[in-house]
């Protein structure tokens, strides 16, 4: 039988929500908020737009994967497809 803390190989399971406390997740979240609330107004341009893209693409799939851990691959694939569509001319009529 599998223990709650260990799988068959003895590796500790992490709870899904622990990702929200990881240093990389918190750093990306801080970067996204700081960039959107302050940097974009102070220094509008290509760099601040790409910072938002990068940090958002990092956070979005991790956030949803914490709630739906069995669908991680689908979430990451959907994130990539959604980002490509959002930055394409096809999304202009949606906006």
């Amino acid at each position: 039988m599998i223990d709650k803390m260990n799988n068959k190989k003895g590796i500790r399971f992490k709870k899904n929500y622990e990702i929200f406390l990881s240093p990389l997740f918190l750093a990306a979240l801080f970067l996204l908020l700081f960039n959107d609330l302050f940097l974009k107004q102070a220094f509008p341009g290509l760099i601040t737009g790409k910072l938002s893209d990068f940090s958002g693409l990092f956070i979005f799939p991790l956030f949803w994967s914490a709630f739906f851990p069995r669908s991680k691959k689908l979430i990451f694939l959907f994130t990539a497809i959604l980002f490509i569509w959002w930055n394409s001319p096809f999304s202009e009529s949606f906006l």
Side-chain angles (χ1 to χ4, degrees):
M1 181 170 201
I2 298 176
D3 185 356
K4 287 184 180 179
M5 294 302 288
N6 296 317
N7 64 11
K8 291 180 182 177
K9 296 179 183 178
I11 300 171
R12 182 179 177 269
F13 281 122
K14 285 189 174 183
K15 294 182 181 177
N16 296 334
Y17 62 84
E18 285 182 359
I19 192 69
F20 299 135
L21 300 176
S22 72
L24 287 175
F25 184 86
L26 291 173
L29 180 61
F30 174 78
L31 178 64
L32 179 66
L33 292 173
F34 184 71
N35 184 52
D36 285 352
L37 296 175
F38 300 107
L39 293 179
K40 280 188 175 182
Q41 287 77 25
F43 308 103
L46 181 68
I47 299 297
T48 55
K50 295 304 171 193
L51 279 174
S52 289
D53 289 349
F54 175 75
S55 55
L57 283 172
F58 184 80
I59 290 173
F60 184 81
L62 291 177
F63 176 82
W64 288 109
S65 294
F67 295 105
F68 304 103
R70 293 183 182 177
S71 303
K72 283 184 182 180
K73 289 181 183 179
L74 185 61
I75 290 168
F76 279 84
L77 179 64
F78 178 72
T79 301
I81 291 170
L82 183 65
F83 181 74
I84 291 168
W85 176 78
W86 189 260
N87 286 311
S88 73
F90 299 116
S91 68
E92 289 177 11
S93 63
F94 181 72
L95 300 173

